[in-house]
């Protein structure tokens, strides 16, 4: 295939080809994806020379002093520039020290053979491929292989990357590589890197197109177990829950995270809840995501028990209103599973979850606190209580959808 033509057809690709000179290469995932006739998510460029200067010819780069790298956003695509380098790991898991080098050495420092392919973008060898041993055969055969036996010990984040690529690309893990990965896990490789680095990789896994598949792969390889022996991904359950999650404001990544974290909490109560919270902090989830996840984690056991019993819309609101959509969806799926086999009760839970997510939570009063203030209700919590009482009446059909009726109900409510 004509790789340069394929690159030129990508956003940012044409401009990059125009400025590329001798010693400028496209590398890594972008070359892999173009050779597989896919669409690269971003472009990684290696320069034998000054990467930051090249980046500056395309726009205003964001510079990263420590590694001499630069990033430019062009036509909505991110282009990362790095000077060709060799890396040395002073100790397992530590960030490497880097030194300038040629392309061949730069390719040798990479994670998997299929990610260690480059194409020259400028100069006399423009269009030529350069790759480490086995790379092109592995790409054709759909195989993930590390470049050397210490790869996972040097950089244990590769254990998570391996699972992501295996699922996304549909590639098999070459047997010796699988053995090295298991040996690294047994040797405690994940304990040599920070929670932040593991968390960053886990967050990438959670937003993969087949994120549930990526978590299954992480479980099979033993990565989840190495993080916590009880951590498990229940793919069939999460598949059911994902079907209930609204596409508008539901977060599939957080739903999968709730499912994972719940495997720590379900059995041992409060102490495990503290552990779950500590795990999310260690993985450096942003506080808003951590809190949203934990609210669901706390709510799910009760919702799972009670959702199938709920009859009225007001009772549904009282049960689930403070739970994010992920928690409601998971409780719906779990409740169905708990009742599998019970005649007549199947799917009561998921039906109740859907009733809330698709219908009941969208019902609003046409009056607001302003009208109650104007009618003489003092400012403070009483306003909210009166509005809530009117809304519960509305939900159960005891109130027409009219302003006056709503106002009368709110003013007459016993609070
Ligand atoms: N790389 C590596 N080891 C890592 C991270 C990255 O060797 N721990 C190398 C790989 O050659 C990879 C390249 O750096 O292809 C770019 O990294 P990244 O953007 O994370 O990988 P992509 O393969 O481009 O991933 P994606 O397709 O997910 O964007």
């Amino acid at each position: 295939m004509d790789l340069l033509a394929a690159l030129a057809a990508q956003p940012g690709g044409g401009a990059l080809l125009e400025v590329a000179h001798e010693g400028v290469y496209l590398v890594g995932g972008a070359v892999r994806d173009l050779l597989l006739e896919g669409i690269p998510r971003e472009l990684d460029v290696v320069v034998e020379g000054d990467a930051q200067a090249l980046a500056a010819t395309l726009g205003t780069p964001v510079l990263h002093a420590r590694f001499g790298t630069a990033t430019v956003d062009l036509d909505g695509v991110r282009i990362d520039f790095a000077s060709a380098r060799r890396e040395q790991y002073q100790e397992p898991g530590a960030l490497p020290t880097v030194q300038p080098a040629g392309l061949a050495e730069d390719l040798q420092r990479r994670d998997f053979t299929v990610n260690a392919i480059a194409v020259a973008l400028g100069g006399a060898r423009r269009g030529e491929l350069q790759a480490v041993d086995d790379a092109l055969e592995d790409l054709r055969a759909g195989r993930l292989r590390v470049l050397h036996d210490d790869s996972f010990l040097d950089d244990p984040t590769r254990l998570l990357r391996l699972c992501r690529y295996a699922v996304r690309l549909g590639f098999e893990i070459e047997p010796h590589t699988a053995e090295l990965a298991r040996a690294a896990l047994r040797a405690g490789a994940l304990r040599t890197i920070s929670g932040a680095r593991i968390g960053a990789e886990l967050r990438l896994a959670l937003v993969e197109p087949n994120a549930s598949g990526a978590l299954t792969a992480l479980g099979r390889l033993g990565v989840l177990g190495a993080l916590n022996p009880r951590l498990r991904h229940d793919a069939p359950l999460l598949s059911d829950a994902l079907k209930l999650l609204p596409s508008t404001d539901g977060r599939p990544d957080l739903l999968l995270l709730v499912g994972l974290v719940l495997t720590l909490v379900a059995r041992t109560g409060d102490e495990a809840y503290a552990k779950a919270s500590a795990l999310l902090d260690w993985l450096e989830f942003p506080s808003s995501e951590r809190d949203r996840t934990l609210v669901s984690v706390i709510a799910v056991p009760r919702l799972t028990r009670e959702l199938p019993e709920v009859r009225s819309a007001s009772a549904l609101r009282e049960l689930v209103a403070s739970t994010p959509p992920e928690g409601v969806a998971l409780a719906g799926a779990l409740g169905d599973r708990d009742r599998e086999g019970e005649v007549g009760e199947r799917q009561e839970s998921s039906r109740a979850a859907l009733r809330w997510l698709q219908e009941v939570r969208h019902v609003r009063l046409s009056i607001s606190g302003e009208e109650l203030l104007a009618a003489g209700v003092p400012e403070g919590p009483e306003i909210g209580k009166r509005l809530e009482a009117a809304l519960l009446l509305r939900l159960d059909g005891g109130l027409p959808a009219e302003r006056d009726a709503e106002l009368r109900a709110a003013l007459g409510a016993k609070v």
Side-chain angles (χ1 to χ4, degrees):
M1 73 171 304
D2 185 345
L3 211 52
L4 294 187
L7 175 61
Q10 302 300 318
L16 177 61
L17 280 165
E18 266 173 41
V19 300
H21 51 70
E22 177 89 45
V24 176
Y25 305 87
L26 186 70
V27 292
V31 181
R32 176 199 70 214
D33 291 342
L34 288 174
L35 288 171
L36 292 171
E37 298 184 18
I39 298 171
R41 303 171 167 213
E42 59 183 37
L43 303 177
D44 284 304
V45 175
V46 159
V47 183
E48 287 174 325
D50 189 341
Q52 296 190 334
L54 179 68
T57 64
L58 275 175
T60 310
V62 179
L63 305 178
H64 313 280
R66 178 155 188 229
F67 292 114
T69 58
T71 301
V72 176
D73 274 313
L74 206 64
D75 303 338
V77 165
R78 178 186 160 118
I79 311 185
D80 284 328
F81 295 84
S83 297
R85 63 191 197 242
R86 79 172 67 91
E87 287 180 347
Q88 263 181 327
Y89 292 86
Q90 303 303 334
E91 53 190 291
L95 289 175
T97 52
V98 303
Q99 281 175 322
L103 176 73
E105 279 188 281
D106 188 283
L107 293 179
Q108 287 298 337
R109 73 179 170 83
R110 290 172 185 268
D111 50 2
F112 305 109
T113 57
V114 296
N115 286 344
I117 308 173
V119 57
L121 300 183
R125 299 173 57 194
R126 192 177 144 105
E128 266 180 42
L129 282 184
Q130 198 169 325
V132 300
D133 289 348
D134 299 324
L136 296 172
E137 296 74 26
D138 285 343
L139 191 67
R140 262 191 293 277
R143 209 159 36 213
L144 291 164
R145 183 200 303 270
V146 285
L147 275 60
H148 60 89
D149 284 4
D150 285 338
S151 185
F152 292 118
L153 296 173
D154 284 347
D155 179 355
T157 64
R158 291 173 177 168
L159 293 161
L160 289 96
R161 298 172 66 83
L162 178 69
C163 297
R164 274 203 294 127
Y165 289 129
V167 171
R168 188 193 324 152
L169 302 171
F171 280 18
E172 58 152 18
I173 301 174
E174 178 270 324
H176 182 58
T177 295
E179 188 38 53
L180 291 171
R182 290 205 191 85
L185 285 165
R186 280 197 300 275
L190 286 177
R191 290 199 290 275
T192 65
I193 55 173
S194 66
R197 288 181 70 198
I198 298 175
E201 284 295 334
L202 185 60
R203 284 183 279 283
L204 290 175
L206 290 170
V207 297
E208 281 286 323
N210 179 4
S212 179
L215 292 185
T216 299
L218 286 168
R220 279 207 192 116
L221 188 64
V223 171
L224 297 182
L227 295 177
N228 185 305
R230 273 207 257 115
L231 211 54
R232 253 183 352 102
H233 171 59
D234 184 338
L237 174 70
L238 270 298
S239 158
D240 288 346
L242 283 165
K243 286 182 203 136
L244 303 176
L245 192 69
S247 58
T248 43
D249 58 345
R251 287 271 306 265
D253 58 333
L254 295 187
L255 172 53
L256 294 172
L257 186 61
V258 173
L260 270 185
V261 171
L262 210 58
T263 62
L264 298 185
V265 175
R267 286 191 217 156
T268 49
D270 284 355
E271 199 185 305
Y273 166 74
K275 256 195 210 155
S277 173
L279 176 72
L280 294 179
D281 280 338
W282 179 68
L283 293 169
E284 295 199 5
F285 275 87
S287 56
S288 61
E289 297 189 346
R290 177 202 61 200
D291 293 346
R292 180 164 166 165
T293 302
L294 289 175
V295 171
S296 286
V297 166
I298 303 168
V300 164
R302 174 158 171 246
L303 262 55
T304 305
R305 282 193 309 274
E306 296 186 15
L307 263 181
E309 314 297 339
V310 168
R311 295 293 166 256
S312 69
S314 62
L316 187 59
R317 178 176 165 84
E318 286 181 313
L319 178 64
V320 302
S322 55
T323 306
E326 297 83 40
V328 180
L330 190 57
L334 260 173
D336 280 0
R337 173 190 278 189
D338 287 355
R339 288 174 171 244
E340 241 162 56
E342 286 181 34
V343 182
E345 297 283 14
R346 270 195 85 177
Q347 300 186 340
E348 282 294 310
S349 293
S350 54
R351 253 185 253 131
L354 279 180
R355 185 176 173 208
W356 168 254
L357 292 168
Q358 296 184 346
E359 187 192 319
V360 177
R361 72 180 173 136
H362 300 300
V363 176
R364 299 260 184 281
L365 293 176
S366 50
I367 58 166
S368 69
E370 294 299 319
E371 279 90 339
L372 296 191
L373 279 173
V377 180
E379 212 175 318
E382 192 183 328
I383 302 249
K385 285 184 188 158
R386 288 186 180 282
L387 288 172
E388 179 69 15
L391 179 59
L392 293 179
L393 260 184
R394 244 309 283 291
L395 288 178
D396 289 344
L399 199 60
E402 288 164 9
R403 274 176 64 88
D404 287 352
E406 287 177 1
L407 194 55
R408 270 199 306 279
L411 291 174
K414 290 200 183 67
V415 293

